[in-house]
Amino acid sequence: MYVYDTKTGKEFVLPDIRGMRYAVCGKKPRNTPTYTSEHFKSTKGLQLPGAGCVLLVSNLSEETVTPDALFTLFGVYGDVQRVKILFNKKDTALIQMSEPQQAYLAQTHLDKVKLFGKQIRVMPSKHQGVQMPKEGQPDAGLTKDYSASPLHRFKKPGSKNYQNIYAPSATLHLSNIPPTVGEEEIKAAFAEAGFDVKAFKFFPKDHKMALIQLDSVDEAIVALIKMHNFQLSDASHLRVSFSKSTI
């Protein structure tokens, strides 16, 4: 990951930033926030280009995309606060993350990936926040607030989820699997949702977690959206993320 020294114009490699928390959106000016964490003093005084909490996502599939789908996908890289699919341009959306660092991670990993058959573009937005529609303003459910969602992955400071952030891949990491649910049940759930399972493997020492390999990265992206929070039992919902491993 690269950042720019605004004084010299030179490019530097940014050390691993997973697990670190910076300015929270709405709590500090975000035009070009400076990241000065003591965890990586080599980047002190550097600025992430275009750093802000809101992303502009374009070339979406108008027929298929929903705020919930974008919340789930972008939620892999940070806590999504609000999503707005533009009423008059439904192939474009604004997504507000909790922190500039999370927005940057989402942009880095999701720009130019295929979502529902179309290559999306993800870039920083000039907006500092996503506004909810005013009373009487047409919206058709295209703007949603997720600030109180129980599905946020990074609510806890120093969350271990920051250690497991990876680019989209054909192999998905599954967790929160109850002991009463076996391999065939999980594979059947994915198949019923329309996904072609190529391989499956429980973790040897922990059957609460498993890897599942699908036909392609594009299919795995849609599978993550559809299967994350899938109800496996009365008390258990599946957790899905991208994996760096293969089966």
Side-chain angles (χ1 to χ4, degrees):
M1 190 179 297
Y2 293 89
V3 294
Y4 296 88
D5 187 326
T6 55
K7 293 183 179 179
T8 66
K10 293 181 179 180
E11 190 175 54
F12 290 82
V13 177
L14 180 67
D16 193 341
I17 61 175
R18 291 175 296 185
M20 302 184 185
R21 298 174 68 85
Y22 308 107
V24 177
C25 291
K27 301 294 180 67
K28 181 179 179 181
R30 292 161 292 157
N31 293 331
T32 49
T34 301
Y35 297 82
T36 58
S37 171
E38 292 183 358
H39 288 90
F40 47 93
K41 293 182 180 179
S42 62
T43 61
K44 188 172 183 179
L46 300 184
Q47 294 179 326
L48 296 178
C53 292
V54 182
L55 295 169
L56 177 68
V57 185
S58 58
N59 202 37
L60 295 164
S61 171
E62 295 184 32
E63 297 78 15
T64 313
V65 74
T66 63
D68 287 349
L70 294 174
F71 166 77
T72 302
L73 178 58
F74 281 75
V76 172
Y77 302 104
D79 292 338
V80 176
Q81 300 299 299
R82 288 179 176 177
V83 176
K84 177 187 286 291
I85 296 174
L86 302 190
F87 186 78
N88 293 319
K89 190 173 175 56
K90 293 183 175 63
D91 66 346
T92 303
L94 294 171
I95 299 177
Q96 182 178 334
M97 310 295 287
S98 291
E99 304 170 2
Q101 168 237 7
Q102 295 178 352
Y104 191 70
L105 284 172
Q107 179 190 352
T108 301
H109 288 96
L110 295 178
D111 184 39
K112 298 183 181 179
V113 304
K114 275 193 175 182
L115 175 60
F116 301 126
K118 299 187 70 174
Q119 187 182 65
I120 65 172
R121 295 305 313 270
V122 183
M123 61 191 69
S125 169
K126 65 181 180 181
H127 296 280
Q128 293 191 356
V130 172
Q131 301 298 317
M132 296 300 293
K134 297 177 181 179
E135 187 175 351
Q137 184 178 356
D139 180 69
L142 297 176
T143 305
K144 294 189 72 171
D145 186 300
Y146 296 95
S147 57
S149 173
L151 297 179
H152 286 158
R153 298 176 188 247
F154 308 98
K155 288 187 293 186
K156 296 180 181 178
S159 169
K160 290 184 179 180
N161 288 331
Y162 272 110
Q163 301 170 21
N164 298 293
I165 294 177
Y166 304 109
S169 60
T171 304
L172 297 174
H173 178 276
L174 311 180
S175 61
N176 204 39
I177 302 171
T180 55
V181 175
E183 175 180 341
E184 294 306 316
E185 291 175 83
I186 296 173
K187 289 165 65 175
F190 275 78
E192 288 174 10
F195 303 109
D196 184 13
V197 177
K198 296 298 184 182
F200 180 94
K201 181 176 72 174
F202 273 114
F203 279 51
K205 296 181 180 180
D206 188 355
H207 274 214
K208 292 181 180 179
M209 297 189 291
L211 297 176
I212 190 167
Q213 186 174 327
L214 301 180
D215 191 48
S216 66
V217 175
D218 298 352
E219 186 175 29
I221 289 173
V222 179
L224 182 144
I225 290 171
K226 289 189 176 183
M227 300 304 292
H228 182 63
N229 204 43
F230 179 83
Q231 187 167 357
L232 289 174
S233 68
D234 291 342
S236 298
H237 290 76
L238 189 64
R239 297 289 180 258
V240 185
S241 56
F242 297 116
S243 174
K244 67 174 181 179
S245 303
T246 56
I247 302 175

